[in-house]
Each structure stands twice: as C-alpha cells, then as structure tokens.
Amino acid sequence: MLAAMMTELEQLLARLTAVNDKMAEYTHSVGAPSYNTALTHTLQRHRDILQDYTHEFHKTKSNFLSLREREDLLGSVHRDIESYKSSSQVNNRRNELFLKEHEHLRNSDRFIDHAISIAMATKENMLFQRGVLKSIQTRVTTLANRFPAINSLIHRINLRKRRDSLILGGVIGICTILLLLYTFH
C-alpha cells in the first residue's frame, strides 16, 4: 500500500513538474512586459511550491524507509534473542563456546612456542656464523702479518679499490650534474 502511495505521489510530482514546464514555455511566448512580469512571478511561486513538495516528499520517504529498516533490523534482533532465550541448549552452547576458546588459546600457545624456538635457532646460527667470521678474520690477519708480501698485496688491492671507487663516484657525479642541467635547462 505504501509503495503504491509513493509511486502515485512521484507521478503527481512529475505531472506538476510538466505543468510548471508548460507554464514556463507559455511565459516565454507571451510578449507583453507587464503581463509577462506577473506570469514570471506566478511561475516562480509555483516552482518554489514544487520544490518544497519534492523536498518534503523525499525527506518523508527517506525517514520512513530508515524507520522501516530500523524496525526490520530490531525485529530480527528481537526474534534472535527470543529464540536464543527459549532454547534449552543455552548451557550447552556456552560450554561449546568455552571449549572453542580454549582450543584457540592452546593453538596460539603452540604457535608462540614454535616462533620462539625458530628465533632461538636463528640466534644460535648467527652466533656460530659470527665465530666463523672472527676466526677467518684472525687467520687472514695472521697470514698478512706473517707474510709481508701478502700484506703489501692486500694494501695495494685496497688502494686500487679506493681509487676505482673515487673514479666511479666522480663519473656518477658528473653524469648526475649533466643530467640535472639537461633536465632544468
């Protein structure tokens, strides 16, 4: 019934809009200025009335739809509450939920223990690698001190690496400056 009424009101508003449009056409076709001013005023008044009716209709429609949705929602919630209260398995359901929660806690505890064991194994592996790298560094230092030729060779290699790094850095810097000059010029 309400849907039919809303449809009927929308049709009536559409008809009123059409009448206002026809009035506007007539107003523009009439040539007398004093007569045209009165028609323009009447037309504006009718447009304001149409706008008020349309606004009130949409406002009332949205209010009613929101109330109906609220009643539907609250009605379903009330039905759910009543069905829950009337069921005789309330305690069983509560116990079932407690058991599920307990199982979730046990699984979380197991997962945390597993994560901690992985972290401890990683820590032990890192400490072992640290010891291996320290012993390698000690052996290289010992060899370098024992054989001066190896020490001078390592020193020359480090100098060339430093020189190559400086040359490469200079080339990259010049290229960057040229690229910036090209971009902003």
Side-chain angles (χ1 to χ4, degrees):
M1 181 176 141
L2 180 68
M5 287 176 62
M6 281 195 288
T7 305
E8 183 181 351
L9 284 173
E10 287 173 349
Q11 289 172 352
L12 290 172
L13 285 172
R15 283 179 48 199
L16 187 56
T17 303
V19 169
N20 276 346
D21 291 341
K22 285 181 184 178
M23 284 174 51
E25 288 175 16
Y26 179 74
T27 303
H28 294 306
S29 67
V30 174
S34 63
Y35 187 65
N36 197 10
T37 306
L39 287 177
T40 305
H41 178 68
T42 305
L43 177 64
Q44 184 60 41
R45 178 68 184 135
H46 282 279
R47 281 186 178 165
D48 291 341
I49 291 170
L50 173 63
Q51 187 178 13
D52 289 340
Y53 285 163
T54 305
H55 178 70
E56 283 298 318
F57 171 72
H58 288 298
K59 185 171 134 183
T60 305
K61 181 181 174 182
S62 65
N63 285 342
F64 179 79
L65 290 176
S66 66
L67 282 173
R68 192 166 81 183
E69 287 176 359
R70 183 172 180 259
E71 287 298 322
D72 289 343
L73 178 64
L74 288 178
S76 66
V77 169
H78 286 300
R79 284 190 298 275
D80 290 344
I81 289 171
E82 290 301 322
S83 66
Y84 182 77
K85 284 182 180 178
S86 66
S87 72
S88 63
Q89 299 174 354
V90 172
N91 287 336
N92 290 341
R93 177 77 175 140
R94 188 178 298 155
N95 288 339
E96 183 180 315
L97 291 174
F98 283 142
L99 288 174
K100 278 186 180 179
E101 187 65 26
H102 179 69
E103 185 63 30
H104 288 299
L105 289 173
R106 284 181 49 205
N107 288 339
S108 297
D109 189 39
R110 230 179 280 130
F111 178 73
I112 290 171
D113 286 342
H114 181 67
I116 289 173
S117 67
I118 289 173
M120 293 300 288
T122 304
K123 178 185 172 189
E124 290 173 7
N125 192 4
M126 296 292 277
L127 288 174
F128 176 73
Q129 288 178 7
R130 179 179 166 198
V132 169
L133 288 174
K134 274 190 172 183
S135 67
I136 289 172
Q137 181 184 8
T138 305
R139 286 181 190 163
V140 168
T141 305
T142 304
L143 283 175
N145 290 337
R146 190 177 283 173
F147 301 105
I150 293 176
N151 192 18
S152 67
L153 179 65
I154 291 173
H155 183 65
R156 277 189 257 145
I157 290 172
N158 285 338
L159 286 176
R160 283 191 183 169
K161 278 175 42 179
R162 195 175 305 141
R163 184 190 70 195
D164 290 344
S165 297
L166 289 173
I167 291 171
L168 185 61
V171 168
I172 290 173
I174 290 171
C175 288
T176 304
I177 290 171
L178 289 175
L179 183 65
L180 289 173
L181 286 174
Y182 178 74
T183 303
F184 292 116
H185 197 347

